Amino acid sequence: MKKLLLADIKMLLRSKQTLFWSLMFPLMFTFIFGSFFGKGNNSVGTVALINESNTELAKSFDKAARDSGIFTIKDDINVEEAKKLIGKDQLSGAIVIPKGFGEQKPDAPKNIKVVYDPAGQAGRTLIGFTNQFLTAANLEIQQAKPIFSVEEEKTNTKQFGYFDFILMGLIGMALMNSSIQGMSIAMSKYREDKILKRLTTTPLKVWHFIAAEVTSRLLVNVIQVTLILLVGFYMFDAHINGSIFLIYVLALLGALLFQSIGFVIAGLSKTTNAAEGMSTAIAIPMMFLSGVFFPIDQLPKWLYSIVQYLPLAPLLRTMRSVALEDASPFANPSNLILVIVWVVAALIIAAYKFRLADE
Amino acid sequence: MNTVIKVEKLVKEYKGLTAVKGISFEVKKGEIFGLLGENGAGKTTTLEMIEGLRKPTSGEISVLGHNVRNEISEIKERIGVQLQSSAYYNYLTLKEILSLFGSFYTESLDPDDLLKMVDLEEKAGATVNNLSGGQKQRFSIVASLVNDPEIVFLDEPTTGLDPMARRNLWDIITKIKAKGKTIILTTHYLEEAEMLCDRIAIMEKGEILMMGKTHELIESTKNPFKTTFIATSLSKETLKELEGLGEVNELAGKSHHFEMMLKTQVNLNKAIKIVQKLEPESITVGRSTLEDLFIELTGKRIGGE
């Protein structure tokens, strides 16, 4: 048994395919998302600020825009150049403060111009920001106090950003891809090559064989989660507010779930190619519909009411509430129960459908 | 001699197909027993039922005194199985595979000694992917010996190999027999069965057509004597004369190439005299082979591949 486990680990680490899909691929994603959203970067993009006015009002807008942290400011550019760059998607937008804006003269220009591509993301934010500033300025000039205002209440006092949200998603994705694809392809390949049949001619017990396969893969999962967390922490300043230990426990529970699904796929598909196709067909939609990259409550209601039960979705909900909000995994037990129901269901189907060799 | 395998009225039915139709046979300790037949004759199914891989629909099998139905784990410790076209792990070296498979048994042989036995000691650090067809097959056979088994099952051990590699494998199988092991093999190569097997059972469509010692089977053919000759000037009269002595066939493909099967030595002598008068380009005299027996039994030549 020990020898089999060691052999299984050796084989996993010698397979370039395993190394790429379970380690390199999720790390690549972590790196990409970290570069965009890591290090507390909430910027919606780079915006040209063309300030042709010298007044106090213009100066204070300039300062507010620079300090907001909502966008990165580009200087020393004229309107025509800015428009060209927006057309090429090299700029998200431009703010033009016309000459004389804010002067106490009746014919002084009253508008700040916002240039943006409606297809881009940054336009609304730019307009919102400018509007908010001008409203405040209007009130001040009229020496009025706002009557209505917003009271903010955060349901959660923990600090986290989009990257922290996505980091848990990436761990879930990595677990899912490597376990579903890894297990289903390995098992159907072993069956196709008659390695499984050959094993059944020896006194090796079936559960020893499966235990060694599962355990060796869980070890790879631990390496996987550790690498993603390390890259997230040290390269992109991710925060984990909850227990790291619990995150590992949940990750391994998830890995078990996806490995059982892998066994089900291997049991249902006759060839390795079929297993490969079936696991891709399951993993890719689940990646997008279970909230790896964005919260799924943005989906149409009918779709959400289905996809919230996909195996990855409750796992990610639990992992995020632990990681981001430092909540107990039992705070919302329905998620954990759903994961366990999936594990049990997959194991039952696997036990029924998966055979080492055909009769 | 002791009986190590006893098969009684063995039947295997699949949906709408009976692959094995109530066959019985015994294998004795230390012999090479061959199941001979075409693809689909039921050889592999029979072998896999004895190995415990498939459940018989009915019938009894005992191996080394244990019943396959309920004592299969005792049996697995003491048998070695080479499957038809089975592969091994890709990411382990030959030595690692042998040592891994050895760990499944309570006792096992040293991987280096095993590799030496089949001349693969230089490949100890290579993976199966880097082996030639013959080397793969040699490895597959030696992998079935890791537990120093008493019975070795070889399912079509030489299928798809070139003649040199095949002869090499025959040597290895003979070596295994010399160690006192019992071997049961399937093959559809008649010369292989004739060369290796002490006893054979000829199977067709799930039944055993004939079984016995290889040389006795060949001698029991209707026409145990045989001569082949090339004669350009064979007249119709002479042909008739020859046909009175035995069966004459013109071989397909080659012209003026004849083969004659005869019942008795006396007829053979007469036939040779007649043929010699024709001044043949070539004449050979011999005994019938397993192939002749097979054709006689089934009315057809066995499929090459």
Side-chain angles (χ1 to χ4, degrees), chain A residues 3-4 7 10-11 14-16 189-190 193-195 197-204 209 358-359, chain B residues 12 48 53-55 76 81 83-84 86-89 91-92 96 99-100 103-105 143-144:
Chain A
K3 208 156 193 172
L4 180 61
K10 247 187 232 170
M11 284 189 271
R14 282 178 192 173
S15 148
K16 287 195 185 84
K189 178 107 179 58
Y190 284 177
D193 289 350
K194 294 197 190 165
I195 291 177
K197 193 173 185 179
R198 180 66 181 79
L199 288 173
T200 57
T201 68
T202 73
L204 176 69
F209 167 75
D358 42 25
E359 245 307 283
Chain B
K12 179 68 180 178
E48 290 187 352
L53 293 181
R54 291 172 197 266
K55 283 200 181 71
K76 280 178 179 174
V81 175
L83 295 171
Q84 200 182 122
S86 157
Y88 283 87
Y89 291 113
Y91 294 106
L92 292 180
E96 284 168 336
S99 140
L100 175 63
S103 76
F104 302 155
Y105 299 92
S144 70

Side-chain angles (χ1 to χ4, degrees), chain B residues 256-271:
Chain B
H256 313 299
H257 216 124
F258 299 90
E259 186 183 80
M260 223 186 139
M261 311 294 296
L262 305 107
K263 273 198 179 63
T264 62
Q265 186 74 52
V266 179
N267 282 0
L268 178 66
N269 291 345
K270 284 184 192 161

Side-chain angles (χ1 to χ4, degrees), chain B residues 12-61:
Chain B
K12 179 68 180 178
E13 278 171 14
Y14 294 106
K15 281 169 205 151
L17 173 92
T18 310
V20 176
K21 298 173 182 162
I23 61 172
S24 304
F25 61 90
E26 289 182 3
V27 180
K28 304 263 190 304
K29 187 172 163 43
E31 71 174 348
I32 300 185
F33 182 84
L35 287 171
L36 176 66
E38 288 182 295
N39 295 331
K43 309 183 301 278
T44 298
T45 311
T46 304
L47 214 58
E48 290 187 352
M49 283 192 282
I50 304 173
E51 293 156 359
L53 293 181
R54 291 172 197 266
K55 283 200 181 71
T57 310
S58 68
E60 289 301 320
I61 307 168

Side-chain angles (χ1 to χ4, degrees), chain A residues 75-317:
Chain A
D75 291 303
D76 303 324
I77 186 168
N78 67 39
V79 181
E80 290 314 308
E81 281 167 8
K83 280 184 181 167
K84 260 186 215 159
L85 289 181
I86 292 169
K88 289 183 195 163
D89 282 341
Q90 287 172 7
L91 264 186
S92 301
I95 300 174
V96 186
I97 306 173
K99 202 172 161 135
F101 173 81
E103 282 178 10
Q104 305 281 351
K105 286 186 201 162
D107 61 341
K110 301 280 189 297
N111 296 332
I112 292 181
K113 193 165 161 191
V114 174
V115 186
Y116 67 94
D117 177 355
Q121 303 275 328
R124 274 172 198 285
T125 316
L126 268 181
I127 290 176
F129 175 81
T130 311
N131 252 333
Q132 205 179 9
F133 179 86
L134 293 178
T135 311
N138 285 337
L139 287 172
E140 209 175 298
I141 287 164
Q142 291 160 19
Q143 296 191 332
K145 286 243 148 59
I147 300 167
F148 305 109
S149 67
V150 181
E151 186 191 1
E152 284 184 47
E153 183 188 323
K154 292 183 179 166
T155 55
N156 186 324
T157 52
K158 306 292 179 197
Q159 278 286 319
F160 59 85
Y162 179 57
F163 181 63
D164 305 323
F165 172 88
I166 223 164
L167 193 64
M168 288 301 119
L170 292 174
I171 290 177
M173 178 191 84
L175 293 170
M176 178 180 70
N177 282 340
S178 62
S179 306
I180 293 189
Q181 310 224 9
M183 194 56 104
S184 68
I185 294 173
M187 287 307 115
S188 39
K189 178 107 179 58
Y190 284 177
R191 193 181 41 210
E192 208 164 87
D193 289 350
K194 294 197 190 165
I195 291 177
L196 295 180
K197 193 173 185 179
R198 180 66 181 79
L199 288 173
T200 57
T201 68
T202 73
L204 176 69
K205 292 189 178 64
V206 177
W207 77 265
H208 279 185
F209 167 75
I210 291 178
E213 282 290 335
V214 168
T215 314
S216 60
R217 279 163 202 278
L218 289 182
L219 282 171
V220 173
N221 291 134
V222 170
I223 302 175
Q224 195 179 43
V225 173
T226 307
L227 285 177
I228 295 175
L229 286 177
L230 284 179
V231 170
F233 273 139
Y234 290 106
M235 293 182 72
F236 303 110
D237 293 346
H239 323 94
I240 299 270
N241 298 311
S243 147
I244 299 272
F245 173 74
L246 270 180
I247 290 173
Y248 274 96
V249 172
L250 290 170
L252 294 185
L253 177 67
L256 274 181
L257 164 59
F258 296 126
Q259 286 187 9
S260 331
I261 295 179
F263 273 110
V264 172
I265 295 174
L268 293 176
S269 49
K270 290 207 166 63
T271 64
T272 310
N273 279 341
E276 213 166 337
M278 212 188 290
S279 41
T280 310
I282 288 173
I284 299 282
M286 194 135 81
M287 187 157 92
F288 289 101
L289 294 175
S290 299
V292 167
F293 303 114
F294 46 82
I296 45 173
D297 48 20
Q298 291 173 6
L299 291 169
K301 206 163 182 164
W302 65 269
L303 189 56
Y304 174 72
S305 65
I306 302 168
V307 299
Q308 60 171 325
Y309 299 113
L310 290 177
L312 182 57
L315 179 74
L316 286 183
R317 285 198 290 270

Side-chain angles (χ1 to χ4, degrees), chain B residues 11 54 60 88-89 108 118 137 161 259 270 284 289 292:
Chain B
V11 175
R54 291 172 197 266
E60 289 301 320
Y88 283 87
Y89 291 113
S108 61
V118 290
Q137 211 59 11
L161 297 184
E259 186 183 80
K270 284 184 192 161
T284 51
T289 62
D292 301 315

